Structure formats: structure tokens, C-alpha cells
Amino acid sequence: MAPPETAGYQFNHTMIRVKDAKESIAFYTDVIGMELMSEYHNNDAKFSLYFLAFDRSDGKDTKEDKDNAKFRREGVLELTHNHGTESDAEFKGYANGNQDPGRGFGHIAISVDDIQAACDRFESLGVRFHKKLTDGKMKNIAFILDPDGYWIEIVPKNFS
Amino acid sequence: MAPPETAGYQFNHTMIRVKDAKESIAFYTDVIGMELMSEYHNNDAKFSLYFLAFDRSDGKDTKEDKDNAKFRREGVLELTHNHGTESDAEFKGYANGNQDPGRGFGHIAISVDDIQAACDRFESLGVRFHKKLTDGKMKNIAFILDPDGYWIEIVPKNFS
């Protein structure tokens, strides 16, 4: 039983840093299918935050509804963009968490109804794969890479 | 508008590696209030996976319901434990993503109704803080640390 003091707590969001905000937002909206719910720009400290999530309102939520919901639901992805990294030749990119040094974070995962259709579409869109469905022992999951090289597991909802 | 091919996609889970599974599960259940929904042990490859989430069924979901739901909902946290790290004196611990080398992943976030009460409780439980409510400019968010040092943002649902 969860402690009663934690009633109402939600696992609201996961934050990752991205090199190029435009490229990452395009990926998470056009390829993955999330929507940009809210954004925040701090030009003094030179960073921007972007909050994305899958729309669960069948398009009924207004822009204000989405902005208000950003800390009141689960399944939100926050992208932090430090201004300038996208055009800084010295910037070496972010660690994806799966190699030393820097091992720790592993991946985010998107669950889908039809994993074969999802992976076929990712292939047709030119998405980079870390593991295709046909690779390795586990034929029922795949890993694609986002623009920064973070791993995204694609898993069927009826995984067994 | 999201591409129609992505209908039904969910941001299902976030995976992080943990040094000591028992300690991390105790933290995410007793302190954070999640429930252990499902676990998987691979003794040949020497790793275990633990899936945690906040119960949204008011306790009505059976163990089987929870296990079945692990890839069919949002807000799931997957902990990967490579057997032996908890007692390996050579193991240096995992990168939390917020320092070089290894910068990339930032944090997970828990949203709460009453952030003052939440932070008071964390203090009383001896939880380590990266940023207390009273630290820094932003007085309406806090960051606590999980047993591996991953940052967990505590944010009020009515953040403004």
C-alpha cells in the first residue's frame, strides 16, 4: 500500500537535454506523434524548455488547456535546449546514458498497438535504429534513436 | 495534428539503471508512493527489471492487472539492476546525467498537490535534497535525490 501522504502524486515528466530544439521537436511531433503542449524561454540564462505529450483529448484541448495540464498528467517529455549548441562546432553532443563514461539513464519507451506497422513506418521515414525487430533475440521490441542519439524503445502494448 | 499512424501511441516508461534494487524499490515505493507492478529476472544475463507506477485503481487492480498494464499506460518507471553492483566495491556508481562527462539526461519529475507538505515529509524521512524549496530563485520547485543520485524534480500541479 502506498503511503497516504503520496495520494495524488503523479510521475509527471522526464527531462532530457537536446542539441537542436527545432530538430528534436520535429522528431517528437512528426515521427513520434506527440504534441508541443507548452514552452518556456529564458533569454537571460539562454535556455528554453519544451513540454511534449500525446494528446488524449481527441483534439478538444485548447492551447491553454494543454499549457495548464503540463504538470497535471503523466507521460510528459521535457526537452531542455541550451541556446547555441545547435550551431556550436565545439559542442560534442550529449551522452545517451548507455555508454561509459556516463552510463546510468537508459531509454524512454513508446508503446504501440501494431509494432510491425510502427517500425515499417519509422524505416520509411529514415529513422535510425539501434535495434530492429529482426535483430538479436527479442523479436518483439525495437530501439530507435532520436536526433541526439537517445534510445527510444518501441514496445507492443500486448507484449508477452 | 499528430500523424494518424501514431494513434494509440503512449509515452509508456522511462528506464534508469540502479546499483541496489532493494534500496531503490524501497525508495520509490515507501518514499515516492509508487507500486511495484511487475518484475523480470534474467539469471543467465544477470539482470533484473522492475516496473513501478502510481496505482490509479484505488487498490482495485489485482497483481495480474498490474502486470498486464505495464506496457499499456503512461507514467511507468523501469529500474534495471545488473546483479552484483550492490556489493561490488569496484563499482563506481551510475552517472545521473547532470555532470560532464555524461551530461544528457536531466531528471524525472513528480507532480504533487501540496509541495510544502511533500517537501516537509521528505525532510522528515531523511531524503537527500539537491535543491530545497528555499534554495535559489525558484521557490516553487525542489529537487530530491534518489539512492543513485538521480535528480527527481518535485513540482506543484498548480505551478505558475
Side-chain angles (χ1 to χ4, degrees):
Chain A
M1 281 296 294
E5 298 94 329
T6 65
Y9 282 25
Q10 293 178 317
F11 176 10
N12 167 242
H13 73 251
T14 296
M15 187 280 264
I16 54 175
R17 297 174 177 86
V18 301
K19 173 182 176 174
D20 185 322
K22 270 190 195 165
E23 196 182 343
S24 293
I25 292 167
F27 175 84
Y28 282 102
T29 56
D30 299 343
V31 176
I32 300 297
M34 290 179 170
E35 289 195 339
L36 181 61
M37 304 172 70
S38 182
E39 56 192 282
Y40 168 80
H41 304 279
N42 188 321
N43 290 318
D44 293 327
K46 296 191 168 56
F47 71 89
S48 294
L49 308 178
Y50 300 92
F51 295 86
L52 296 107
F54 288 104
D55 177 46
R56 298 190 302 205
S57 75
D58 283 329
K60 289 186 191 112
D61 277 354
T62 64
K63 195 168 160 40
E64 191 183 355
D65 291 335
K66 286 174 194 168
D67 189 59
N68 286 336
K70 67 178 176 294
F71 297 123
R72 296 179 199 169
R73 58 166 286 178
E74 296 185 323
V76 175
L77 180 67
E78 177 184 6
L79 305 179
T80 293
H81 175 230
N82 291 305
H83 299 171
T85 50
E86 71 282 8
S87 56
D88 178 0
E90 303 287 305
F91 181 70
K92 292 189 170 66
Y94 289 117
N96 71 12
N98 294 298
Q99 283 94 33
D100 284 319
R103 238 163 77 96
F105 171 66
H107 58 259
I108 61 169
I110 306 296
S111 57
V112 304
D113 293 306
D114 183 339
I115 193 167
Q116 186 66 58
C119 289
D120 288 348
R121 176 171 166 271
F122 294 141
E123 284 226 50
S124 75
L125 293 172
V127 172
R128 292 179 298 161
F129 278 77
H130 170 70
K131 179 209 170 304
K132 295 192 179 183
L133 280 179
T134 48
D135 294 335
K137 283 187 192 166
M138 296 187 73
K139 307 299 185 194
N140 50 356
I141 58 169
F143 281 90
I144 60 173
L145 299 176
D146 92 344
D148 286 274
Y150 292 111
W151 293 8
I152 303 176
E153 181 180 357
I154 309 300
V155 60
K157 290 182 185 170
N158 64 352
F159 180 92
S160 61
Chain B
M1 280 296 293
E5 297 93 330
T6 64
Y9 282 25
Q10 292 178 317
F11 176 9
N12 166 240
H13 72 250
T14 296
M15 187 281 266
I16 53 175
R17 296 175 178 86
V18 300
K19 174 182 175 174
D20 185 322
K22 271 191 196 166
E23 195 182 345
S24 292
I25 292 167
F27 176 84
Y28 282 103
T29 56
D30 299 343
V31 176
I32 299 297
M34 290 180 169
E35 288 194 340
L36 181 61
M37 304 172 70
S38 182
E39 55 192 284
Y40 168 80
H41 303 280
N42 188 322
N43 290 319
D44 292 328
K46 296 191 168 53
F47 71 90
S48 294
L49 309 178
Y50 300 92
F51 295 87
L52 297 107
F54 289 104
D55 177 46
R56 298 190 304 206
S57 74
D58 283 327
K60 290 188 191 109
D61 277 354
T62 64
K63 194 167 160 42
E64 191 183 355
D65 290 336
K66 286 173 193 168
D67 188 60
N68 286 336
K70 68 179 177 292
F71 296 125
R72 296 179 198 168
R73 57 167 286 179
E74 296 184 323
V76 176
L77 180 67
E78 177 185 5
L79 305 180
T80 293
H81 174 231
N82 292 304
H83 299 171
T85 51
E86 71 282 8
S87 56
D88 178 0
E90 303 288 303
F91 181 70
K92 293 191 170 64
Y94 289 117
N96 71 12
N98 295 298
Q99 284 94 32
D100 284 320
R103 238 163 77 93
F105 170 65
H107 58 258
I108 62 169
I110 307 294
S111 58
V112 303
D113 293 305
D114 183 340
I115 192 168
Q116 187 66 57
C119 289
D120 288 347
R121 177 172 164 272
F122 295 141
E123 285 225 51
S124 75
L125 293 172
V127 172
R128 294 179 297 161
F129 278 77
H130 170 70
K131 179 208 171 304
K132 295 191 178 184
L133 280 179
T134 48
D135 295 335
K137 284 186 190 167
M138 296 187 74
K139 307 297 186 196
N140 51 357
I141 58 168
F143 281 90
I144 60 173
L145 299 177
D146 92 344
D148 287 275
Y150 293 112
W151 293 8
I152 303 176
E153 182 179 355
I154 309 299
V155 61
K157 289 181 184 170
N158 64 351
F159 180 93
S160 61

